[in-house]
Amino acid sequence: MEFIQQHSFYLFLIFIGLLLIYESITKYRTKGVSSTSNSDRYRRVLYGAMLSLVLLIAFIQMDLQKEAFVAVVGPLLIGLLTMVKERKNTELHVFSYEPYTFFEILEKLLNSHGYGYFKEVKGNDDYLSSNYITYYYLDDGDEEIKINWKDLDKSDLQVSFLRFGDKAFIEELMKELKERRPPITYFKFNKYSLGFAAVFIYLGMMKVLGY
C-alpha cells in the first residue's frame, strides 16, 4: 500500500498509456467508426472512479481530507450525470474521415429509408480551419442528428443521434462508412495516440523502477 501511495501518479501515467494502446487497437479494429453504448458509459464511470482513487491517495498523503472528498465525488458525479443524460441518445465517433463523403453516405441512407429532413449548418471560424455543426431535423417526431466536424480534407466527426430510435439505420451507416474507408495501417492511423502512450509508459516505468 505504501508503494502505491508513493507512486500513485506514475502508476496512473502507466494506466493512461495502456488505455491509449487499448483504444488504438479498438479504433483500428473498428476502422475508426465506433458507437457509444451504455456499456461504454459505464466504462467512463469506471475510469472516473480510478481517477478518484488516485486523487484520494494523493490528497490523503497531504492530509487534505476535504479536498480528498471533493476529488472522489467530483469525477464520479460527472460520469454518472453524463450517463443518465445521454442514456436515450446514440453517439458515433468517426476518426479521420472525409466530411463530404460522410455527408454523402448519411443523406443517401436517409433518403433510401424514407426519412424527410431539414438540414442546417452552423459555422464557427477560427485561425486554421472552420468548426461546423450540421443538424438534420427529421420530419417525423423530435428526432435529430447533430454532427460536429471541421472543414478539412479529413476530420474527426462526432455524430449524435438525439432521441433516434432506428438502431438498424445506425448500424447500416456504420457498416457503409467502414466499407467506404480506404485501406489503413495500424501505426499510421494511431501515430499520435501511440506516441503519447509510449511517453506516459516510459515516464511512469522509469519512476516506478527507481530511475
Side-chain angles (χ1 to χ4, degrees), residues 90-153:
T90 300
E91 189 174 280
L92 295 188
H93 298 278
V94 185
F95 297 97
S96 190
Y97 213 88
E98 296 178 354
Y100 296 102
T101 300
F102 168 84
F103 288 113
E104 174 195 335
I105 294 171
L106 175 62
E107 292 177 9
K108 184 190 74 173
L109 287 178
L110 286 171
N111 292 329
S112 66
H113 282 255
Y115 285 112
Y117 59 85
F118 169 72
K119 181 179 178 181
E120 181 182 17
V121 181
K122 296 182 178 180
N124 181 20
D125 293 339
D126 61 17
Y127 181 69
L128 294 176
S129 64
S130 295
N131 297 314
Y132 288 97
I133 302 178
T134 300
Y135 294 90
Y136 288 84
Y137 303 103
L138 304 190
D139 293 345
D140 297 329
D142 62 346
E143 297 176 329
E144 64 182 77
I145 304 171
K146 174 184 175 184
I147 303 103
N148 291 271
W149 59 287
K150 288 188 176 182
D151 185 18
L152 299 170
D153 291 338

Side-chain angles (χ1 to χ4, degrees), residues 13 20 49 54 92:
L13 283 183
L20 286 173
V54 171
L92 295 188

